[in-house]
Amino acid sequence: MLEYWEGDGTFRASLKGEDEFVFYDGPPFANGLPHYGHLLTGYVKDVVPRYQTMRGHRVERRFGWDTHGLPAELEAQRVLGLKTKAEILELGIEKFNDACRASVLKYTDEWRSYVTRQARWVDFEHDYKTLNPDYMESVIWAFKTLYDKGLVYEGLRVLPYCWNDETPLSNHELRMDDDVYQPRQDPSVTVAVELETGERLLAWTTTPWTLPSNLAMAVGPDVDYAVVLVDGRETILAEARLAAYGYADVVRRLKGSDLIGLHYTPLFDFLAGTDNAFQVIAADHVTTDDGTGVVHMAPAYGEEDQLACDAVGIPTVLTVDDAAHFTAVVPPYQGLHVFEANRPIIRDLRAAGALVREDSIVHSYPHCWRCRNPLIYKAVSSWFVEVTRIRDRMVELNEQITWVPEHVKHGQFGKWLSNARDWSISRNRFWGSPIPVWRSDDPAYPRIDVYGSIEELERDFGVEVRDLHRPYVDELTRPNPDDPTGRSTMRRVPDVLDVWFDSGSMSFAQVHYPFENTDWFEEHFPGDFIVEYIGQTRGWFYTMHVLATALFDRPAFRSCLSHGIVLGNDGQKMSKSLRNYPDVTEVFDRDGADAMRWFLMSSPILRGGNLIVTEQAIRDGVRQTLIPLWNAWSFFTLYANAANAANTEGAWSTTSPHVLDRYLLAGLRTLVADVQTHLDSYDIASACDAVQGYTEILTNWYIRRSRDRFWSGSQDAINTLYTALEVLCRTAAPLLPLVTEDIWRGLTGERSVHLTDWPSYAELPDDPELVERMERAREVCSVASSIRKASGIRARQPLLKLTVATSTDLAELAPLIAAEVNVREVVLTPADSVGTQMERRLTVNARAAGPRLGREVQQVIKASKSGDWSVSPDGVVVAGGIELQDGEYTLETTLADDQAASGLLSGGGFVVLDTTITPELAAEGVARDVIRSIQQARRDAGLEVTDRIHLTLTADPGTTAAAEQHRDLIMAETLAVSVAIEAGPELTVGVEKAG
């Protein structure tokens, strides 16, 4: 099929129509191979556009590549053998960025092969890359527009910081994946400082390395504190924490507000002389859940610390460098990495008598999502988008978005929006879109210029600009127009933009807006549909929403499907080293791309849950859906000509009077309507459920019950099956594009199922009453089959009678039920006859009822068993005179004990199967077993279904007697023109094609 599509140009032919459905394809990084997460998202990205195309829309599917940022830089560092930013600078930014450019597109061929193999239609020829000058120009336009709106500012703020990559992260990057937070063991210490009033104040921290930077102690103004005697000295901590420290001798009590404003002697004198420092301040984040109820404050290394200290005029003072090594500000620890400094700092505190207690704590700690090293919080100079200013509008615009699953709207995404912080968009790195800000290098003549286009740059700098990457953009300098001396120079700030700013600009940057395609963009924005995994509520979904709100006052997309996470077969995150997932190529080669598509698209992962990938689960989909569908097609091609009738080619028809045909076509109408409803609302898993359910009806009910009609060449049956297959293939085409294409082209002889219109359910017969009756008949057969199985009676053994008590009129369907259940007679009785053969049982849940009823629960249990209970008309259950509540009991309706070979029907009614096997019935059962053996022998001999045979049977006396008794049946069922039956020790079958 892939070869056919390529040669035929099927995908290009599908890009038709003026009514456009706008789909945004989130760009992956191309410096790594695809994984199951990409596979899953890619299938959704194919299902929805295929469906929308069949609905008459034009759906462009431009592939995109995310090419900037630290993932690319880390790969280049690995290839070049570089460890630090200093080594990159020594090599040269130009050479390093050349290596980044080469690495980001390393696997493009593999990606193209992978995407094509999964039968996903994508336009690779008109792809977009975030490194292209056009794309980057749109990005810097976005920055300048935000700057002009007053939504961009520069500030010194505490941010999550990766000391390995020497760059800050955005807060949303810490919340994208659960594995960003990992268990980590750290020392925790309690230290004491001496207040100016003489008491010791105890503070607790899990980051001892920040204590040399301590500038304040924080308390909760309304928290209760206690003064206790410890080694004869008055010591203060939260009253709620006394027991945790083993303190009991309370001297007096006070509120946190009584401590605010008191000064204390610093633990270290490195920052002595800092304005307003070394005082007790108020902070809202102080709790008594752990520690001492007093929080040590280092404003350079804590977000809340900085905010609280700013409020009282305590400055932010840095003591560590970009690589998280202590600077000369703290001479004893200069050059030590902050984590290495914990031990010597604790040792020095102990020697100074300031260490009260040392413990160890295992806590959930953030790690860099790129290099996996533990982060620190550190004050850095960064450029920010002032998200807090547009936060309320972002919440409002979210109301215009349809989320799948729906709970994401006001749940994970909505809550994140409600608490969104300002977005740090600058990275002190090398490979990325530049921050287009030029600043005077002389503070005496301050000036800032912000550029939003290449034309503006060329106008001011007088040179042609071909590449916006470093170092070329850094080389654009000019004299400061505001400096009359002519000595100062306008130089670009060295930072590059956060890669999430790139991806968040995708909607407009992919079409080079506003420099090109302005009319198209303004008419087609927001996009109609996007899809990615749930973590992107803090990533791509979020940054697109921020920029769309800030730039256009619109949401970026109308509908978003946010799926769960794909896990390995051990329930853990997929890992190459653990080999805990099936090889994708092997699955494609063995089971096919449609099998993988079906497994992923029919799973709970599209409703927000996670999914474990196992080979067995993939094969189950093959067994439950793909093979039955293919078998239905094979049956049509095999049996349509079985009777050698004059006219046996199938044709579209919905006029058959036969009850099975009418039912199948009415069910087909429901299928089309249901799948259309589900796909319109992006409920792909439910669409799969509907297709699987109809395929089950088609193969395990309609075809099985219609074999004789096909054998005899019934044109109605042939036309009905043709119609069902043709419509089913069109309906399932987005979900199973390869299998349905093969079947549909073979069935119709036309070009492609993917170039056809979506079927109209209005063209199919509407008969809900028949569907309801047939479904009840199928349920009767299912219950009867279960009775057979429970009674140990094989399906080929005929039985005498099945009694069906139901209010549904099944008279027309009784012959079908008899044939399916293999009984001579079906007796239908009214549902009101059920009462004499049914009983209700009350079972008390002692575990649920016991806590409420106490000893009375035994009285209730006894009453439920003795029959001393009742149910009122409004459903209240009373047992032994005590009213029971929901959850404390189970009420079941069952058949009386004397109806052993019986079963209940849902919604009322039951069936009773007469399991008495007479000698006559036993003989026919044996004959049918013989027929099955003969049919297997025919298949083993490679005979066609229409071939006549000469038959030889050898069997024990009982079997030969049964075969003789039912000779005509055996010959008719097996197309035998002659039968020779001989006695022998066991059943052997000989078949020979008749001349």
Side-chain angles (χ1 to χ4, degrees), residues 24 507-508 511 513 517-525 552:
Y24 291 155
S507 60
F508 54 89
V511 294
Y513 178 89
N517 305 303
T518 53
D519 290 343
W520 181 92
F521 176 76
E522 287 163 6
E523 292 172 4
H524 294 85
F525 181 81
F552 308 110

Side-chain angles (χ1 to χ4, degrees), residues 802-817:
L802 176 71
T803 301
V804 182
T806 176
S807 57
T808 305
D809 181 7
L810 298 179
E812 183 185 15
L813 307 180
L816 286 174
I817 297 172

Side-chain angles (χ1 to χ4, degrees), residues 877-917:
V877 176
V878 177
I882 297 173
E883 184 177 316
L884 298 180
Q885 297 179 358
D886 288 346
E888 296 178 347
Y889 64 89
T890 302
L891 193 60
E892 297 176 293
T893 303
T894 62
L895 288 165
D897 291 338
D898 60 348
Q899 304 293 330
S902 58
L904 290 171
L905 298 174
S906 62
F910 68 97
V911 299
V912 178
L913 184 65
D914 186 343
T915 56
T916 303
I917 301 175

Side-chain angles (χ1 to χ4, degrees), residues 845-867:
N845 184 341
R847 180 171 294 179
R852 185 178 71 88
L853 298 179
R855 295 180 180 179
E856 291 181 330
V857 73
Q858 295 301 323
Q859 175 184 336
V860 170
I861 293 173
K862 183 178 179 181
S864 70
K865 293 179 178 179
S866 66

Side-chain angles (χ1 to χ4, degrees), residues 774-899:
M774 191 68 79
E775 291 305 305
R776 177 49 64 98
R778 292 182 63 218
E779 183 191 6
V780 167
C781 295
S782 176
V783 172
S785 296
S786 298
I787 297 170
R788 271 185 177 274
K789 186 174 181 180
S791 303
I793 303 172
R794 64 195 187 283
R796 288 183 299 279
Q797 173 61 60
L799 295 173
L800 189 62
K801 183 175 66 173
L802 176 71
T803 301
V804 182
T806 176
S807 57
T808 305
D809 181 7
L810 298 179
E812 183 185 15
L813 307 180
L816 286 174
I817 297 172
E820 176 69 13
V821 179
N822 196 8
V823 295
R824 298 279 177 85
E825 181 186 15
V826 173
V827 177
L828 302 174
T829 64
D832 55 15
S833 67
V834 172
T836 60
Q837 304 181 62
M838 307 290 286
E839 62 180 31
R840 303 180 81 182
R841 293 178 182 171
L842 176 70
T843 303
V844 177
N845 184 341
R847 180 171 294 179
R852 185 178 71 88
L853 298 179
R855 295 180 180 179
E856 291 181 330
V857 73
Q858 295 301 323
Q859 175 184 336
V860 170
I861 293 173
K862 183 178 179 181
S864 70
K865 293 179 178 179
S866 66
D868 180 19
W869 59 274
S870 62
V871 182
S872 69
D874 57 357
V876 175
V877 176
V878 177
I882 297 173
E883 184 177 316
L884 298 180
Q885 297 179 358
D886 288 346
E888 296 178 347
Y889 64 89
T890 302
L891 193 60
E892 297 176 293
T893 303
T894 62
L895 288 165
D897 291 338
D898 60 348
Q899 304 293 330

Side-chain angles (χ1 to χ4, degrees), residues 266-272:
L267 291 165
F268 299 92
D269 60 5
F270 308 130
L271 304 183

Side-chain angles (χ1 to χ4, degrees), residues 761-782:
Y761 61 83
E763 297 176 358
L764 297 163
D766 186 16
D767 195 342
E769 186 272 337
L770 172 59
V771 170
E772 182 182 355
R773 287 191 292 119
M774 191 68 79
E775 291 305 305
R776 177 49 64 98
R778 292 182 63 218
E779 183 191 6
V780 167
C781 295
S782 176

Side-chain angles (χ1 to χ4, degrees), residues 919 922-924 926-927 930 955-966 981-985:
E924 184 179 342
V926 171
V930 170
D956 61 81
T959 303
T960 56
E964 286 287 5
Q965 184 179 347
H966 294 281
I981 301 175
E982 303 173 357

